[in-house]
Amino acid sequence: NKVSSFKIKLENGGFLEGLVRGFKNGISKEDYRHLTQCDTLEDLKLHLQGTGYGHFLANEPSPLTVSVIDEKLREKLVIEFEYIRNHAYKDLATFLDFIKYSYMIDNIILLITGTLHQRQLSELLPKCHPLGIFDQMETVTIASTTADLYNAILVDSPLAPFFKECISEEDLNEMNIEIIRNTLYKAYLEAFYDWCQQKGGATADVMCEILAFEADRRSIIITINSFGTELTKEDRAKLYPRRGKLYPDGLLELSKADEYEAVKRVSELYAEYKPLFDGTGNNPGDKTLEDKFFEHEVTLNVNSFMQQFQYGVFYSYVKLKEQECRNIIWIAECIAQRHRAKIDSYIPIM
Amino acid sequence: MSLQSLFKMGSLFRSEEMCLAQLYLQSEAAFACVSELGELGLAQFRDLNPDVNAFQRKFVNEVRRCDDMERKLRFLEKEVKKDNLAIDDTGENPPAPLPREMIDMENKFDKLETEMKSVNSNQEALKKNFLELTELKHILRKTQQFFEQCLQIILTKYKKNNNQVYFPIIYNYNLQWLSNIVHFFYYRFVAGVLMRDKISAFERVIWRACRGNVFLRYTEIEAELEDPHTGDKVNKYVFIVFFQGDQLKSRIKKICTGFRATLYPCPETPQERREIALGVMTRIEDLQTVLNQTADHRRMVLSQVALNIRVWLIKVRKIKAIYHTLNLFNVNIEKCLIAECWCPVVDIDRIQLALRRGTELSGSSVPSIMQQMQTKENPPTYNQTDKFTSGFQAIIDAFGVSNYREVNPAPFTIITFPFLFAVMFGDMGHGLLMFLFALYLVLKENRYMKHKPEDEIFKMMFDGRYLILLMGLFSIYTGFLYNECFSRSINIFGTSWNFLMEFRCVMTLDPNKPGVFRGYPYFYGIDPIWQSAENKITVQNSYKMKNAVLMGFAQMIFGLSLAFCNRRHFKDKLTLYCELLPQLLFLCALIGYLCMCILYKWSTAPSLLIGLIDMYMLTDPKSNNRVPLYTGQYQVQIFLVIVTVLCVPWMFLSKPYILYKRSKQKKGHTRFMFFHTKFVKHIKLLIIMLISQFDMSEVIIYQAIHTIEFCLSCISHTASYLRLWALSLAHSELSEVLWSMVMHTGLATSGTSGAILSFFVFWFFSSLTVSILLVMEGLSAFLHAIRLHWVEFQSKFYKGEGYIFSPFSFTLIVEGKV
């Protein structure tokens, strides 16, 4: 029986899981230390050749720029991800699509905001994340209301189910777009969470933990960012994803908050989030809350690799790689701008 | 080959003697010297700056410049391949250029790259232009067709409803008329082209976004178009959208940009369209000539590149390798680089010669100095191989690279491996096929060496061609012994049995019946008569089984004698007397005696199994009324059992004990001097050693494990050799089944139908023979032969904990093996 269940698991993405575990190994702690010692981007390139990233910059002429490195890093991730996606089927394919949806949301919002600011499409497109590109994406610029957006364009895109709650006849404006983004994200997180829950097993164990954190992080950040804006508390409460550990009591409390301290008070009631708020502040040497959140996310994602035969590794792989790319870019930026004081504030991946 | 160079070759028996040497190179001569050493390929450099980052080393800039040159060459190579030009391969091996030539090379590549890039961008712009014109041509053609079709439809409709006048009656219908209608109702249209995979999404979006107030028609362009940027072939659609009003127009245009459709101005009247079409055609023709010229120019530049690119790549790789090596050197002293390298002792002269050549080449006046160093480090293992031995050495290295100067099993493997394989694979026919296949590879090896086979499996077989050759040859030999050719026996020398005497439905050969056996054995191998005997398997089984045990014992004893060579070579008397000697005695007393009995038994025949059990139960065969093998058997056996039992503590205790005593003596302990007799003193010391917690515990555990392992393995390894019998049985049975079930049915049918049937059956038989008997069975016998060597044979003497010598060699670097 054990053998047969093993076999089923193996058929269901075992090969891909092995692949992902191989892809995961990028840069070690030692490598980070060496990277921060680089004097120029050429040095960085030379050192990256010795890591898991290999020769991804080999065909780039000198002088290198940070944007080229960024582009190539992203390209590498996309190629790996698409390879996995093309070999996945059934549940794993759905799961991987879920990962892509978040990028689609970001892309749509980016395009709408850009159009609102009279930017050209050709200028916006390179900024879109390649993982979130879909057929109808580029036509979102024709929409002037959300109803328009839904009826004309998104109705047969994969994002349609998440759009139910944001349809209105109001014209698109900055405020609106932020609300759409958060509502979409909320619907997406809830759908993703429910899917993982229904899938059950180790996938549910791992993913629900990560997604719950993601939901709570969004709630907290939405609250903090809403201070001093026109957003009413009722509207704000509607944007909270209702799947995290804060749900329901914490969210209720959070919806009443109107200053940072209040948010902190609410969050400190939860054992997981208390340490994140401790020691944050704006003083030099302190870490920002955002960085603390990132660190916690990294821990969760690294833990997901501790379990086998579950889809969490795919999600964690994408997130960790993104973090790693962010780190490299951070270091590269520091080197390029000769601003070495903060070069060490990347988020190490254990 | 002269005698001298033969001696220089060294032997495979032990790895080459190595020494650690220090090189003092003048800064200006270092490059040339390393270059010479790279051509020679006999020195393995050690990293003297392990703590320095890759980008902080001295020659990092030069390495970077080489990287850049390589990048440019890769770019050029890609362009050459894009144009399907053949890259010239003369097999020339240019020496590494001097550092000052690097600048010339850089300039040359830089110029070529810029030229290539400008040609490319030119070509791309032209192609883009060409693509636009072609698309416009298609649009004009398709819209024309579309309007004509519409006209037809309207006309037929009009004819049907003749009596109802919708339109003014115009007899001279023409397209002008239609466009007038379109214009009359203020219908506007845009036309454009779109990628094929986007058309359905486009249609849906346009329908929904305009709420159904548009009319869209599209049709495929039959010809494939070329994407100017990537050069890929793409399929596109022409579409035409009719709409009313300016608001819709801007909306549609936005959607079109969203789907990256290209819109083209399309005039509304047929005359204008025709005029534009004519203009487009002439422009396309002009552009085509320009395009052809650009392509010619590009081809000319590239053919120059294709001629030299291989040589350039080799040069750049060599320079890069040299600078990488120089980065390993110690550069702390001014004007001098210090390097450390491992090199074979026999080749020191050649290395020194190379250094001298390098110094002369660079024009330096101060000679480079090479000096041997004393070291306690383990030198690398270097076995010189040629094309014949490399396959066998690879089998050994796959298990583990031998310790420095340890006995290398490879030369023995050359014979034992194919032999053990053949014991399991014995069949003349199959062996012959295998032999012929390997012979083909060997005869064609020059061709395959030049053009390396791409296929990995084929490459593996090619690398092991001499191994397969010997395997095939030995299989033919054992096939003769087993007298099997595709499972059939051949009666060459005439059988020595009167089979007519015994020929009944069931034929059992029994030599005890009078007149059946002629009294003299078959001349060579197994008598073909057994082929048809009912008790064939019983007889062959017992024969092959005993053979397997004998061969196993022989190989294990041989392994132990190699261990003896090792001990002698490393002057390890302690292990020799305290480990190897009892091991040898143990094996001989246990298995050796069994083998002796087997040999003896072939003349007389009491049961061996019971004899062996009796031996260890210490029962006298006479007491159970059994016939002894020979007189005095009981006494001999008692003696052997005692020897066996004594060997165990000997193996286990003597070595740790002596080590313990030595360490005590070193520390100068005299505590035990008051014991009176020597014997009591030793026993006391032994007990103290065993019960007390001290630094020898590791040694004791190690020894215990080894003792237990050896004692158990004597039995299990001997049993393991029975696989020789089992696989051989499986092979002969399988081929027999294939013959009787497949080939026999074809041959047994008579008449024309039989001939036709045989024709097809043979095809079936031969493909099964190759795929199952040759490939699958061959692989399984191969695996078992490997196992017998790695485990049963090598465990007796081989450590395999060394590391391989990997010299700095241009040949390996250029071939991309490093």
Side-chain angles (χ1 to χ4, degrees):
Chain A
N1 188 34
K2 208 159 193 185
V3 170
S4 71
S5 79
F6 178 79
K7 207 177 131 204
I8 289 166
K9 281 165 178 167
L10 208 61
E11 280 167 2
N12 216 346
F15 158 65
L16 294 174
E17 187 179 332
L19 204 64
V20 151
R21 280 175 194 275
F23 282 154
K24 183 196 153 210
N25 297 328
I27 296 184
S28 68
K29 237 179 200 158
E30 188 76 354
D31 287 327
Y32 276 123
R33 204 172 54 73
H34 286 307
L35 285 180
T36 52
Q37 290 167 3
C38 293
D39 288 327
T40 64
L41 292 183
E42 301 295 320
D43 290 349
L44 191 85
K45 172 180 166 182
L46 199 69
H47 192 87
L48 281 177
Q49 277 180 6
T51 68
Y53 281 91
H55 294 269
F56 78 113
L57 286 172
N59 281 338
E60 293 309 313
S62 309
L64 272 178
T65 59
V66 179
S67 62
V68 169
I69 299 178
D70 188 21
E71 193 186 312
K72 286 282 153 188
L73 282 172
R74 186 182 285 180
E75 188 184 303
K76 189 168 185 296
L77 173 66
V78 170
I79 290 171
E80 287 171 359
F81 185 86
E82 289 296 341
Y83 180 86
I84 294 169
R85 175 64 189 86
N86 292 339
H87 283 77
Y89 58 97
K90 281 206 264 182
D91 283 354
L92 182 55
T94 320
F95 182 86
L96 293 175
D97 282 339
F98 263 115
I99 296 178
K100 282 175 122 184
Y101 295 159
S102 71
Y103 296 100
M104 290 185 186
I105 295 174
D106 287 345
N107 281 354
I108 291 182
I109 300 300
L110 181 96
L111 289 178
I112 298 175
T113 326
T115 337
L116 212 61
H117 290 133
Q118 313 292 331
R119 294 282 172 76
Q120 286 299 311
L121 195 59
S122 51
E123 193 183 328
L124 295 170
L125 281 178
K127 289 182 189 154
C128 288
H129 200 288
L131 279 185
I133 284 175
F134 57 101
D135 267 351
Q136 305 92 334
M137 188 185 86
E138 292 168 30
T139 42
V140 295
T141 50
I142 60 164
S144 55
T145 68
T146 48
D148 235 13
L149 188 68
Y150 179 74
N151 288 331
I153 298 142
L154 296 179
V155 66
D156 58 355
S157 74
L159 294 183
F162 310 138
F163 220 83
K164 282 178 299 202
E165 285 180 43
C166 5
I167 302 168
S168 74
E169 285 299 330
E170 268 178 74
D171 275 354
L172 290 169
N173 58 40
E174 198 122 337
M175 183 78 173
N176 244 330
I177 294 171
E178 267 314 299
I179 291 177
I180 292 176
R181 179 211 293 275
N182 287 312
T183 327
L184 272 177
Y185 224 97
K186 173 193 169 191
Y188 157 71
L189 273 180
E190 289 176 358
F192 198 2
Y193 188 97
D194 293 343
W195 188 89
C196 293
Q197 190 110 55
Q198 177 243 320
K199 172 88 188 144
T203 304
D205 294 348
V206 170
M207 280 310 292
C208 288
E209 183 80 17
I210 295 176
L211 291 174
F213 168 71
E214 182 67 27
D216 290 338
R217 172 164 74 169
R218 290 198 76 83
S219 305
I220 292 170
I221 287 183
I222 287 170
T223 316
I224 293 173
N225 286 348
S226 73
F227 301 144
T229 61
E230 302 163 18
L231 194 66
T232 62
K233 283 184 182 169
E234 292 79 50
D235 283 344
R236 193 175 77 196
K238 280 186 202 157
L239 302 178
Y240 296 153
R242 290 182 305 247
R243 289 295 182 276
K245 298 204 164 126
L246 294 178
Y247 177 73
D249 302 338
L251 291 185
L252 199 67
E253 290 298 315
L254 214 53
S255 64
K256 292 177 198 151
D258 40 20
E259 51 169 358
Y260 180 76
E261 285 307 312
V263 176
K264 193 172 169 180
R265 264 203 308 283
V266 176
S267 309
E268 279 179 348
L269 296 175
Y270 293 85
E272 293 93 338
Y273 303 135
K274 190 170 188 303
L276 302 183
F277 278 85
D278 291 341
T280 57
N282 294 327
N283 306 325
D286 283 355
K287 282 178 175 167
T288 60
L289 183 62
E290 204 181 0
D291 282 354
K292 283 269 190 179
F293 274 140
F294 274 134
E295 275 174 22
H296 189 64
E297 190 190 1
V298 165
T299 323
L300 287 178
N301 283 323
V302 169
N303 286 344
S304 123
F305 275 86
M306 303 293 167
Q307 293 209 43
Q308 273 186 319
F309 302 130
Q310 44 100 9
Y311 295 157
V313 287
F314 295 99
Y315 183 87
S316 300
Y317 150 73
V318 173
K319 293 291 158 189
L320 288 179
K321 270 288 154 188
E322 275 202 322
Q323 186 59 49
E324 203 167 76
C325 295
R326 271 199 294 271
N327 289 342
I328 295 173
I329 292 306
W330 172 263
I331 293 172
E333 282 285 5
C334 286
I335 293 169
Q337 295 174 9
R338 313 217 157 275
H339 188 77
R340 307 193 71 96
K342 281 196 159 184
I343 200 165
D344 287 324
S345 39
Y346 56 85
I347 290 144
I349 294 163
M350 281 76 66
Chain B
M1 198 188 289
S2 68
L3 206 62
Q4 204 178 4
S5 63
L6 242 174
F7 281 123
K8 240 181 169 182
M9 282 281 289
S11 72
L12 264 181
F13 187 57
R14 289 183 200 285
S15 62
E16 292 288 329
E17 246 182 280
M18 308 296 279
C19 68
L20 188 65
Q22 207 167 23
L23 309 179
Y24 296 89
L25 306 173
Q26 293 305 306
S27 307
E28 61 267 24
F31 188 92
C33 287
V34 173
S35 164
E36 287 296 327
L37 289 180
E39 298 290 353
L40 199 62
L42 282 172
Q44 175 181 351
F45 290 99
R46 302 205 312 166
D47 191 356
L48 298 182
N49 327 301
D51 304 327
V52 184
N53 283 339
F55 50 83
Q56 284 164 345
R57 301 202 173 202
K58 188 165 183 205
F59 298 97
V60 67
N61 271 327
E62 283 80 358
V63 170
R64 217 169 265 159
R65 276 163 68 194
C66 292
D67 268 342
D68 204 45
M69 282 197 277
E70 252 189 319
R71 179 184 63 74
K72 283 169 190 161
L73 288 179
R74 269 202 305 273
F75 167 72
L76 291 173
E77 198 181 3
K78 208 176 83 194
E79 295 296 317
V80 169
K81 284 196 177 144
K82 221 191 254 173
D83 268 22
N84 288 326
L85 288 172
I87 289 175
D88 205 50
D89 185 0
T90 50
E92 184 194 349
N93 184 18
L98 290 175
R100 56 174 177 273
E101 287 172 42
M102 225 165 111
I103 300 168
D104 286 346
M105 283 166 72
E106 273 177 318
N107 286 340
K108 201 191 307 167
F109 300 155
D110 200 38
K111 227 173 85 186
L112 275 171
E113 195 204 11
T114 357
E115 186 170 359
M116 209 57 238
K117 276 196 171 153
S118 80
V119 169
N120 273 355
S121 66
N122 255 341
Q123 204 178 23
E124 199 183 312
L126 285 172
K127 273 191 180 165
K128 196 165 169 241
N129 215 334
F130 185 73
L131 178 76
E132 279 168 6
L133 286 174
T134 331
E135 284 179 355
L136 183 56
K137 182 183 87 182
H138 284 293
I139 281 187
L140 292 170
R141 196 176 289 162
K142 295 287 178 192
T143 45
Q144 184 78 7
Q145 281 170 7
F146 168 72
F147 282 121
E148 275 169 12
Q149 272 171 12
C150 286
L151 186 67
Q152 289 297 326
I153 292 165
I154 291 169
L155 283 181
T156 39
K157 268 202 177 159
Y158 178 69
K159 275 176 189 162
K160 265 188 200 162
N161 310 327
N162 224 344
N163 40 1
Q164 299 163 335
V165 180
Y166 286 115
F167 302 108
I169 301 163
I170 300 166
Y171 290 102
N172 192 11
Y173 304 112
N174 58 18
L175 290 171
Q176 177 68 46
W177 171 78
L178 184 73
S179 67
N180 280 344
I181 297 173
V182 169
H183 203 72
F184 176 75
F185 288 107
Y186 289 101
Y187 276 108
R188 299 284 168 73
F189 66 86
V190 290
V193 288
L194 183 64
M195 298 292 281
R196 179 160 70 180
D197 52 342
K198 284 186 176 170
I199 194 84
S200 61
F202 175 71
E203 191 179 7
R204 280 199 299 273
V205 167
I206 219 164
W207 174 261
R208 279 197 299 264
C210 306
R211 300 205 168 79
N213 291 321
V214 289
F215 180 68
L216 173 77
R217 275 291 168 269
Y218 52 84
T219 174
E220 191 174 1
I221 300 174
E222 293 83 5
E224 281 186 332
L225 303 171
E226 193 188 325
D227 187 291
H229 189 65
T230 58
D232 295 337
K233 296 279 179 215
V234 287
N235 287 83
K236 288 192 169 183
Y237 266 76
V238 168
F239 66 86
I240 179 163
V241 192
F242 291 91
F243 56 86
Q244 262 184 322
D246 283 336
Q247 220 180 345
L248 273 182
K249 184 174 185 176
S250 72
R251 203 153 236 244
I252 286 167
K253 280 201 167 159
K254 264 188 187 166
I255 295 174
C256 287
T257 32
F259 277 93
R260 315 229 179 142
T262 349
L263 295 180
Y264 291 96
C266 185
E268 291 176 2
T269 63
Q271 283 91 355
E272 280 176 87
R273 279 204 292 271
R274 201 166 300 132
E275 276 164 32
I276 289 190
L278 280 175
V280 166
M281 287 313 280
T282 46
R283 270 166 65 197
I284 286 180
E285 271 165 32
D286 291 348
L287 210 56
Q288 189 67 55
T289 32
V290 180
L291 260 176
N292 287 345
Q293 278 167 2
T294 338
D296 283 346
H297 177 61
R298 183 185 144 91
R299 192 165 275 269
M300 215 174 65
V301 176
L302 283 180
S303 58
Q304 270 304 306
V305 172
L307 219 57
N308 295 318
I309 192 154
R310 199 186 138 269
V311 172
W312 288 340
L313 263 175
I314 292 176
K315 279 183 178 172
V316 171
R317 277 196 195 139
K318 281 187 176 177
I319 303 179
K320 194 173 152 191
I322 291 172
Y323 279 120
H324 265 305
T325 311
L326 288 176
N327 270 337
L328 302 178
F329 292 2
N330 187 345
V331 289
N332 294 335
I333 301 166
E334 229 173 286
K335 289 198 171 176
C336 182
L337 296 174
I338 303 172
E340 278 177 24
C341 66
W342 290 110
C343 50
V345 173
V346 282
D347 289 317
I348 283 179
D349 290 343
R350 287 169 71 190
I351 290 171
Q352 256 162 351
L353 203 69
L355 285 180
R356 210 170 303 146
R357 259 203 316 271
T359 319
E360 273 166 28
L361 255 174
S362 66
S364 165
S365 50
V366 192
S368 306
I369 299 160
M370 178 178 182
Q371 163 190 331
Q372 287 194 35
M373 283 166 74
Q374 291 299 319
T375 178
K376 282 189 176 166
E377 266 181 77
N378 259 337
T381 306
Y382 176 42
N383 287 311
Q384 276 194 354
T385 53
D386 53 22
K387 63 184 178 182
F388 180 76
T389 50
S390 64
F392 298 93
Q393 187 68 53
I395 289 182
I396 304 301
D397 287 346
F399 175 76
V401 176
S402 63
N403 283 5
Y404 177 63
R405 301 290 286 161
E406 188 181 29
V407 169
N408 180 13
F412 316 110
T413 307
I414 293 176
I415 294 303
T416 55
F417 189 89
F419 180 68
L420 289 189
F421 173 85
V423 169
M424 294 182 267
F425 197 73
D427 190 304
M428 282 179 256
H430 299 153
L432 187 69
L433 288 180
M434 189 175 267
F435 174 76
L436 289 178
F437 170 69
L439 193 67
Y440 167 79
L441 289 182
V442 168
L443 292 179
K444 293 275 175 193
E445 73 180 356
N446 280 341
R447 206 181 70 187
Y448 285 120
M449 293 283 243
K450 217 175 253 172
H451 306 283
K452 288 277 153 69
E454 294 282 313
D455 184 23
E456 204 174 335
I457 291 176
F458 182 74
K459 197 173 165 299
M460 230 151 53
M461 296 225 245
F462 180 69
D463 288 342
R465 59 196 179 278
Y466 287 101
L467 185 70
I468 301 177
L469 189 79
L470 285 190
M471 278 167 15
L473 210 59
F474 278 72
S475 295
I476 298 175
Y477 164 68
T478 49
F480 256 114
L481 284 179
Y482 295 161
N483 207 344
E484 273 179 30
C485 177
F486 297 111
S487 86
R488 302 286 89 188
S489 292
I490 304 171
N491 191 359
I492 303 172
F493 306 107
T495 174
S496 34
W497 296 73
N498 283 325
F499 54 90
L500 282 177
M501 289 275 300
E502 279 287 313
F503 198 64
R504 275 173 231 126
C505 300
V506 183
M507 182 170 125
T508 312
L509 292 177
D510 185 357
N512 290 334
K513 283 188 189 170
V516 174
F517 186 57
R518 282 183 183 155
Y520 55 91
Y522 188 66
F523 181 63
Y524 183 84
I526 286 178
D527 197 313
I529 189 71
W530 289 105
Q531 177 79 43
S532 21
E534 197 64 22
N535 55 347
K536 171 194 169 195
I537 291 185
T538 332
V539 170
Q540 285 202 346
N541 271 356
S542 116
Y543 165 72
K544 284 180 178 173
M545 216 187 302
K546 286 167 188 166
N547 242 348
V549 173
L550 290 179
M551 283 187 276
F553 175 70
Q555 199 179 21
M556 287 193 289
I557 283 290
F558 182 57
L560 280 181
S561 54
L562 288 179
F564 175 76
C565 291
N566 268 341
R567 296 297 152 223
R568 278 289 299 278
H569 182 80
F570 294 115
K571 301 201 171 64
D572 189 357
K573 271 197 183 155
L574 181 66
T575 321
L576 179 66
Y577 290 121
C578 299
E579 214 179 281
L580 196 57
L581 200 61
Q583 278 180 354
L584 199 66
L585 278 176
F586 189 86
L587 187 66
C588 286
L590 200 66
I591 310 298
Y593 181 66
L594 173 71
C595 292
M596 200 209 77
C597 291
I598 288 173
L599 290 175
Y600 192 72
K601 196 195 131 153
W602 262 316
S603 46
T604 60
S607 170
L608 265 185
L609 191 66
I610 293 170
L612 264 192
I613 293 172
D614 278 353
M615 168 175 169
Y616 285 93
M617 300 289 283
L618 300 177
T619 38
D620 192 345
K622 278 179 213 158
S623 66
N624 286 348
N625 287 331
R626 291 198 192 96
V627 189
L629 267 177
Y630 51 91
T631 44
Q633 183 190 12
Y634 181 58
Q635 287 72 19
V636 171
Q637 285 184 347
I638 293 276
F639 171 71
L640 286 177
V641 171
I642 293 170
V643 168
T644 318
V645 172
L646 277 183
C647 279
V648 179
W650 184 359
M651 261 185 267
F652 173 37
L653 292 174
S654 59
K655 190 177 169 188
Y657 173 66
I658 291 173
L659 282 176
Y660 177 64
K661 221 174 77 178
R662 277 185 194 166
S663 77
K664 281 278 169 196
Q665 275 166 1
K666 244 184 215 167
K667 284 178 192 162
H669 282 264
T670 49
R671 252 176 69 196
F672 304 103
M673 288 307 280
F674 56 84
F675 286 111
H676 295 295
T677 57
K678 253 191 170 177
F679 182 72
V680 175
K681 188 186 108 186
H682 284 305
I683 295 293
K684 261 273 174 43
L685 202 57
L686 197 64
I687 293 166
I688 289 170
M689 176 186 87
L690 285 177
I691 57 173
S692 58
Q693 296 276 322
F694 65 103
D695 56 337
M696 292 294 286
S697 62
E698 208 169 295
V699 181
I700 291 179
I701 290 171
Y702 181 82
Q703 198 66 22
I705 290 173
H706 271 251
T707 310
I708 294 170
E709 196 201 327
F710 183 82
C711 297
L712 292 182
S713 74
C714 273
I715 316 283
S716 69
H717 285 183
T718 312
S720 182
Y721 275 98
L722 288 178
R723 72 185 69 230
L724 291 174
W725 152 64
L727 271 264
S728 156
L729 176 74
H731 185 79
S732 70
E733 282 303 295
L734 208 61
S735 52
E736 174 132 14
V737 164
L738 193 65
W739 180 274
S740 57
M741 301 292 246
V742 181
M743 204 59 190
H744 187 71
T745 42
L747 293 176
T749 321
S750 57
T752 325
S753 60
I756 296 169
L757 190 65
S758 300
F759 176 78
F760 288 108
V761 157
F762 176 74
W763 183 82
F764 194 55
F765 170 78
S766 58
S767 62
L768 280 184
T769 299
V770 171
S771 64
I772 294 183
L773 290 179
L774 277 176
V775 177
M776 278 171 57
E777 277 281 292
L779 275 179
S780 103
F782 185 85
L783 277 182
H784 284 283
I786 281 190
R787 189 219 137 94
L788 286 178
H789 278 84
W790 281 355
V791 180
E792 274 75 31
F793 176 50
Q794 293 183 10
S795 69
K796 299 289 178 291
F797 66 100
Y798 191 63
K799 283 255 176 3
E801 288 161 349
Y803 65 102
I804 205 146
F805 176 62
S806 49
F808 168 64
S809 155
F810 283 150
T811 16
L812 296 179
I813 288 163
V814 169
E815 281 171 16
K817 281 187 188 163
V818 181

